[in-house]
Amino acid sequence: MTGSGGLSAGEVRLSRQQHGSNSLEKQEGSGLLARVLAGFGDPIIRILLIALAINLCFLLRGAPWFETAGIAAAVFLATFVSALSEYGSDAAFRRMQAEAAAVTCRVRRGGMLCTVPADDIVCGDLVLLQAGERVPADGFLREGALDVDQSALTGESREIAVRPQPEPPDSAQLLRGSAVLSGEGMMEVTAVGSRTLYGGMAQQMQEDTRESPLHVRLDALAGTISRLGMAAAVLVAASDLFLSLFVQGGLSEGAAAILQHILHAVTLAVTVLVVAVPEGLPMMITVVLSSNMVRMMRDHVLVRRLTGIETAGSMNILFTDKTGTLTCGRMTAELVFAGDGTRFDGMQALRAGAPALFRQVCADCRCNSGAAVSAGTVSGGNATDRALLEAVLTLTDSEPQEQAGDKVSFDSRRKYAAVRLPARALTLVRGAPELLLPRCTQYLAPDGRVHALGRETPQRILREQAAEGGRVLAMAVTDRAVTADHLPAGLTLTALVVLRDPVRRETPDAVYRLLGAGIRTVMLTGDHPDTARAVARRCGLLSARDALVADSAQLAAWSDAELSRRLPQLAVVARAMPSDKVRLVQAAQRAGLVAGMTGDGVNDAPALRLADVGFAMGSGTAVAREAGDIVITDDNLDSIARAVLYGRTIFKSIRKFLVFQLTMNLCAVGVSIAGPLIGIDTPVTVMQMLWINLIMDTLAGLAFSGEPPLAEYMQEAPKRRDEPVLNRYMTGQIAATGGYTVALCTLFLWAPPVRRFFGYAADPLRFLTAFFALFIFSGIFHACNARTHRLNLFAHLGKNPLFVCIMAAVTAVQLALIYFGGALFRTMPLSPFDLAVTAGLAFTVIPVDFARKLWLQARGAPRNF
């Protein structure tokens, strides 16, 4: 055992060599460049990189440069913006971590008291602790007496009284990261760094987690797009070869000519393949996630990892800590009972209904306490002292305060506290009901009179409040002296005060909303099962008849298979340990569920990290906030419900954009195939295609990123983890409206009446300008179709002013290009009638899609994204 003078310098070095330092091993944070490079692993980005490489090869043979530049720009912007957003967020948390590491401690070494950084603590060090400090390592108490809060590590909301033991205990009494609430003492360090409970959790937190649902879905989408694009490219190449070699007699032109035809077909196939790839998708996803980050900040939701937003929308089970998340995280004096059972809902009601009783209760709260008021704030003492003093503080500011005499401080072994009031020659006693009630022979009635005390009423109150999860304190008064070793009989019961950590006002509604969204909420708490059951009932977690309440011991007795079988009924886990939280998340993930986890303590960090989406509370520890994907800055479950809504809105926005872009890509591919077959090699020029790509990619991405979160999304079932991005509704819309638009454009280019109307024989420029306008206007109307599944295209349009502004700007620019684009864009001014006819033809895509929606409605088929 270390001497009272502490370790010598040589012993410190030896201890550090044998047991290591107190610093935690941390994975190096990825730099900005590393994050950009990591972005190239995105499945859609990989397709674009392949297309970019092919395009670069053909660029050397004079192929159009705009596609190559567009793909390169899309890849760069998508990876850079995403990496920059996450890097900035991560840097802030690294700074927070560095500040936490700068904490110093008072240590006895070599017979002297010195101050050293917490990271320099070694096994065997003697560390001095007092109220307000954090325990820097694991160890046991050598001298003094401490009350500590270990809730951040164990989930236990109650305070722990730590006292010296005759022999060093087998396990640590004091855990790193615990807060010292009151008292002074000296601890001996037995474990440092990663060997502490805190350090072990920090290491678990750094383990890699599985891919997000969005990444899984995009991977599947990339495969689908690759197959479709390749099929379209092969079809185009085969059609071109058939036309040139067999229809136009190219087989008789010699080997050199045939090779030229083959090269042309391959070039055309590559062009179609590149056009088919939605290069705007990665950038749009980045834009929609980043823009919603700003929006969510206003709703107290800080996003650390971009994919965490969308994952929240896919969540179907949420494991949540109780203290500070479902509840307020602080004890409150909710009820007061007189000895005859009269109930008062709080101190305000007691003051109004029983002034004499209130005076006695108030005197106990103010005088029989280790807490004090400083600058209007209650501090010191234990949680019970602070809760009682806060309960009467505002009600007694104007009243003279009684002078307290001798005190007997509360001790967990003694289970009572007492104070003498010399002015009234009375002693106030407060403590555990099972200790005080047997010594009470009478009670103070609400009217101020004293009556004989019956036993049935107080016992009934104790049973009822215990079932409701309340902690009951007894207050009594006597004219006799009370010492630390003697509590006399013949006490007069003043009141029974019920303390609770109250459920947040928004919690029941948030639980209901999550349940309506298909998300089951499971409460994890360190409380006793009866208390946990009462809190869960008030939160609305036990509404189902088969709801199951289990404790950590039961959980440990279940096999993984049994746990998976019972998971659908599990509503509450009491006496939960950190390992239980990790195991529950793993069980949910094995069952194919998308698991969310909330938490604020170090004990929550491994589960926060492992979960598909981790919600860290803003008032929690820095370790928990670093482990989470999303930080809930107001610690409110209602904000988590809003995060789910945002996540679902984002996935809807991605799907809407995909419907628009893949429809336009289908049109572009169709026109590329049909144009040469009907004698028009370049229905759209390089500069026109550059403008089309800008609309399809950047501008459309911005337009759909502003889609509003609608409450109706919270009535839908969560999307499966493996649910494809493209569903039947989307493919039907793409095929129907895209196919119609391809037919419309092809008919426009080929039909003799159309050619005659626009004077194709006399001047093809007017005809080709009209076709350019038709293609763009069709795209604008397609965007309106894709924005909503409703028949009313104006539904909720006012909630996305960005969409209105962008579509209006695209229309204005298109008109400017028609009238002022000239040779650069191969356009000429159209007459108002020509423009009206073109716009009218383009507008037909709206009634066509309207008919498709009516047909789905008549069949009772799914009519949503």
Side-chain angles (χ1 to χ4, degrees), residues 187-202:
M187 71 171 285
E188 180 173 336
V189 175
T190 58
V192 294
S194 299
R195 297 184 181 181
T196 63
L197 177 62
Y198 181 104
M201 293 177 181

Side-chain angles (χ1 to χ4, degrees), residues 774 777 781 835-845:
L774 174 71
F777 290 152
F781 292 129
L835 194 62
V837 170
T838 305
L841 288 174
F843 182 80
T844 58
V845 301

Side-chain angles (χ1 to χ4, degrees), residues 14 178 282 351 573:
L14 181 61
S178 302
R351 182 187 188 187
V573 178

Side-chain angles (χ1 to χ4, degrees), residues 743-765:
L744 177 66
C745 291
T746 303
L747 189 64
F748 188 97
L749 291 171
W750 171 80
V754 177
R755 291 192 177 195
R756 285 196 299 271
F757 178 84
F758 287 102
Y760 177 76
D763 186 4
L765 185 58

